[in-house]
Amino acid sequence: MTDKMKRLAIIGGGPAGLIAAEALLGNGVEVHLFDAMPSLGRKFLMAGKSGLNLTHSEPFEAFVTRFGAARPHLETALRAFTPEALRAWAKELGVETFIGSSGRVFPTNFKAAPLLRTWLRRLRGAGLIIHVRHRWQGWTAEGALSFTTPEGTMEFETDATILALGGASWPKLGSDGSWTPWLEARGATVHPLKPANCGFDVTWSDLMRERFAGAPVKPVTLTFNGKAHRGEFVISAHGVEGSGIYAHSAALRDEIAAKGEAQLTLDLAPDRSAERLAGELSRPRGKLSMANHLRKAAGIEGVKAALLRELLPAETFGDPARLAASIKSLPLRLKSTRPIDEAISSAGGVAFEALDEHFMLRSAPGIFCAGEMLDWEAPTGGYLLTACFATGRVAGEGALRWLTQRD
């Protein structure tokens, strides 16, 4: 390393780490990127398996509200790299995007791999030096980065470091939260990692679990603490999961932590009023079974009918007004949160109070943090990826500024 060429390490090869590298390359900095996995972007590729949801098209003022209490800490970064800027960036890589019916933004081919391949090719061409199968183990007593590699332990000296290690969801893809004690030892406040966009346990009967696990419930409106979300969810062997559940998961998780359980309310017929349902269900059913009566009169069948049988006392079915009210407001008790390694994302992480405006640790100058390892959470819908890109970009630009000021 010469006096002129600064050397910077980025640990974590997901979107936050890669966009940080992009901000640094071509500015007289030797940039090394380390990742524990055999290849980069494993979680990014996993996100693309069901169609890569890059960002969301809703107006920015609505977009930033999705980050809840973290909004004041993220808004500047998000304004500097908006959803529109992210789409333009993808277009520069030859990836066209489109807005789906839900407002979510996808590549036209729905895939993550082509975008990642082109991006890595551009980064390597710009000088990025990549080290895979390098698992970070904190710092040595002398302040060097320590890694375990297939060839043994390696130490790496650097002028600055950007950490983009993710949270603790999907540990098999590299995000396991093992970094927490090393940052705490450097004086950073790290809030406990916990599941976000997660499923919940419900005490199902054997019949419900065996016949309906994997069944989607749609359309449905899910309400908790006065907030309603129309969408869908899925019955699992353990309970419930899916986008409609994830929209409320932070509040449900916190309610369970405080009170031991949470009650979600389901409207199984969001397009019909309770009065209309009561009238339809009051019609004589003659020789029709209750299942057929529900199907013909109220459009309730399959998994929705099974939920009513599972959650209501038998006598409710003999009272049309009470049954109609229950279809519109069916209580579902959630007993516990599913484990963090099953969650789509995680909450908790490095407290924003421990960071300056460039996401540099106040207690350890020259160490920057970005992405999901910061203490924020957001629902699915493109918000997670957008914030990872935005915070990575700020960290990269901040690291470059810090290195330049030290010359």
Side-chain angles (χ1 to χ4, degrees), residues 72-269:
H73 307 288
L74 294 175
E75 187 164 353
T76 299
L78 291 167
R79 286 190 181 279
F81 197 59
T82 62
E84 291 79 9
L86 179 51
R87 295 183 71 187
W89 169 86
K91 188 173 183 178
E92 289 177 4
L93 289 172
V95 176
E96 296 288 343
T97 57
F98 75 97
I99 300 171
S101 58
S102 64
R104 299 182 181 202
V105 175
F106 301 90
T108 52
N109 62 7
F110 284 99
K111 297 178 180 178
L115 187 154
L116 182 61
R117 281 196 300 269
T118 304
W119 191 13
L120 290 175
R121 191 181 307 120
R122 185 168 79 177
L123 291 172
R124 286 190 178 100
L128 179 63
I129 303 165
I130 296 173
H131 310 265
V132 294
R133 295 188 174 91
H134 281 59
R135 184 173 295 278
W136 186 48
Q137 300 295 324
W139 290 272
T140 67
E142 293 75 28
L145 297 169
S146 177
F147 297 91
T148 55
T149 78
E151 289 74 40
T153 301
M154 184 194 83
E155 296 180 4
F156 188 84
E157 294 183 358
T158 180
D159 295 295
T161 300
I162 296 174
L163 302 175
L165 291 152
S169 62
W170 293 90
K172 65 181 180 181
L173 301 181
S175 299
D176 59 10
S178 60
W179 47 267
T180 297
W182 301 321
L183 267 66
E184 289 177 331
R186 286 284 178 127
T189 299
V190 181
H191 295 148
L193 295 166
K194 50 192 176 182
N197 292 300
C198 55
F200 295 88
D201 290 321
V202 177
T203 306
W204 295 133
S205 66
D206 290 342
L207 178 65
M208 188 72 185
R209 183 170 53 251
E210 291 166 6
R211 290 192 58 186
F212 293 99
V217 183
K218 61 180 181 180
V220 63
T221 297
L222 306 94
T223 303
F224 181 70
N225 278 353
K227 294 185 178 180
H229 175 84
R230 177 163 173 157
E232 62 183 89
F233 68 96
V234 176
I235 303 295
S236 72
H238 301 288
V240 290
E241 59 187 37
S243 59
I245 299 296
Y246 304 154
H248 292 294
S249 64
L252 291 168
R253 178 199 65 220
D254 294 346
E255 179 85 352
I256 291 171
K259 299 181 180 179
E261 66 176 28
Q263 182 170 292
L264 187 64
T265 302
L266 309 177
D267 179 353
L268 299 180

